[in-house]
Amino acid sequence: MKDIDAIAMLQDPVRRRLYEYVAAQGREVGRNEAAEAAGVARTLAAHHLDRLTEAGLLESGSRRLTGRSGPGAGRPAKVYTRARAERSVSLPARDYLTAAELLAEAAEQAGLDAALCAAAGRRGEALRGSAAPCGGLEEAMEMLAGRGYEPYLEGGEGAEGVQDAEGAVAVTGAAERVVRMRNCPFHAVAEHFPPLVCGMNLALLEGLFGEDGPVSARMDARPGECCVVVETSKNNDR
């Protein structure tokens, strides 16, 4: 299916709600949970979830949601996650990805990491404009969400745990809260040039949040997520 046809499927409001809910969870989602979140019947949710899977916007699998195995554990249920593949539409056609990859390759070969990070820091400052440095983690999350990072809180009271393939939720155990991000806006280029692009990303966010402010960014890569996390600066009270 062409990208434009796949994206057009999200015009349906129910289908879009289901997709946005599954994408926001960062884990496998069953039909019952998705239906309840979207406020529709399970059969309707199943139909739309399968259509989204056929379009390549979601990926599906099956597992026992009870976490049990053996006799009496029940049949495996169908579960869904956001597809790893990217979809984009440009009218007329443009190919910015190739340009970005060529520029990244040239910068890496020329050893321009420091220059690129300096430019990224300046761009982050320009995006912040005349505003004061970011005031805290909640404000940082708003800024990150606006730029497509899909942030979420981890650690501390009321934080979101990480759900494994069996459905168990594991808490990091650290009292400190950090903001992690499910999406990297530079993912396609970062896959080919991780040190260069991740360093650029870190410098961009450092400029966006401001130096010596209440929050800071650091590298802490995790598979399937952005390589940067945001936390309360060590020289500031939480």
Side-chain angles (χ1 to χ4, degrees):
M1 180 177 290
K2 295 181 178 179
D3 284 4
I4 191 169
D5 295 323
I7 294 172
M9 294 190 67
L10 297 175
Q11 184 176 4
D12 182 279
V14 173
R15 201 171 292 159
R16 182 163 185 168
R17 289 202 305 273
L18 288 165
Y19 172 80
E20 289 177 343
Y21 179 79
V22 173
Q25 304 315 302
R27 57 173 173 79
E28 294 176 330
V29 175
R31 287 172 168 175
N32 288 340
E33 179 185 348
E36 183 177 353
V40 298
R42 183 185 183 280
T43 52
L44 180 61
H47 167 74
H48 285 306
L49 289 167
D50 287 340
R51 290 292 307 278
L52 290 167
T53 302
E54 293 169 4
L57 295 173
L58 297 180
E59 295 176 356
S60 64
S62 61
R63 65 176 176 85
R64 289 186 173 90
L65 298 178
T66 61
R68 302 194 306 270
S69 60
R75 296 177 59 187
K78 200 163 187 179
V79 291
Y80 303 84
T81 57
R82 178 168 56 184
R84 297 177 180 86
E86 295 183 11
R87 299 280 188 172
S88 62
V89 174
S90 176
L91 299 173
R94 297 287 189 261
D95 188 6
Y96 300 114
L97 176 58
T98 297
E101 289 178 340
L102 289 172
L103 290 169
E105 181 179 357
E108 187 173 75
Q109 292 180 353
L112 298 177
D113 303 55
L116 177 61
C117 288
R122 292 192 297 271
R123 175 58 62 91
E125 293 173 357
L127 291 172
R128 177 163 49 89
S130 59
C134 184
L137 291 182
E138 287 72 20
E139 184 178 336
M141 290 183 68
E142 292 180 6
M143 297 171 71
L144 292 167
R147 303 203 63 79
Y149 284 91
E150 299 182 5
Y152 68 96
L153 273 175
E154 180 180 87
E157 183 179 356
E160 177 177 327
V162 180
Q163 189 168 26
D164 63 19
E166 299 300 325
V169 176
V171 179
T172 61
E176 295 289 338
R177 296 190 306 166
V178 299
V179 176
R180 293 190 176 272
M181 295 162 271
R182 293 194 175 95
N183 182 51
C184 171
F186 316 110
H187 173 73
V189 186
E191 275 194 316
H192 295 92
F193 308 94
L196 183 76
V197 177
C198 291
M200 177 200 74
N201 187 24
L202 175 62
L204 177 73
L205 294 181
E206 287 175 337
L208 183 65
F209 296 140
E211 295 182 4
D212 302 323
V215 301
S216 60
R218 62 177 172 84
M219 289 287 193
D220 189 8
R222 175 184 287 178
E225 295 188 346
C226 179
C227 60
V228 178
V229 298
V230 179
E231 62 188 358
T232 302
S233 297
K234 301 303 181 184
N235 60 346
N236 287 274
D237 293 332
R238 284 191 298 155

